[in-house]
Amino acid sequence: MTDSKENARATRMEVDPKLLEILVCPVTKTTLRYDREKQELISEKARLAFPIRDGIPIMLVDEARSLDDA
């Protein structure tokens, strides 16, 4: 039986590095930090984490996770 964490890692797709260079936070327009393990783009200034699904960053505030809740 395969571990669920291994399955999650296997299905993760890498985000194009060139895309990461041009993306900014939709709230603050500041740069984002890529968290490869959690598959999120982090806006430290806005205290938000934007999910990456199937290699596609979801840059919607409604979809973001608040870092203050963590």
Side-chain angles (χ1 to χ4, degrees):
M1 185 175 236
T2 305
D3 183 69
S4 62
K5 284 186 181 180
E6 287 178 25
N7 275 345
R9 276 190 217 115
T11 59
R12 287 184 189 155
M13 298 179 68
E14 288 297 313
V15 178
D16 184 340
K18 290 184 183 198
L19 180 61
L20 292 176
E21 289 177 18
I22 61 171
L23 284 175
V24 295
C25 173
V27 176
T28 64
K29 308 298 186 241
T30 56
T31 58
L32 299 163
R33 179 176 52 86
Y34 178 38
D35 185 331
R36 181 175 276 116
E37 183 65 30
K38 292 183 180 176
Q39 287 294 288
E40 295 177 325
L41 292 175
I42 309 295
S43 172
E44 299 291 347
K45 191 169 184 178
R47 305 291 301 149
L48 294 172
F50 297 92
I52 299 171
R53 296 187 189 122
D54 298 324
I56 301 169
I58 310 300
M59 303 305 296
L60 301 171
V61 175
D62 291 348
E63 294 286 324
R65 175 179 65 83
S66 173
L67 296 179
D68 296 330
D69 295 341

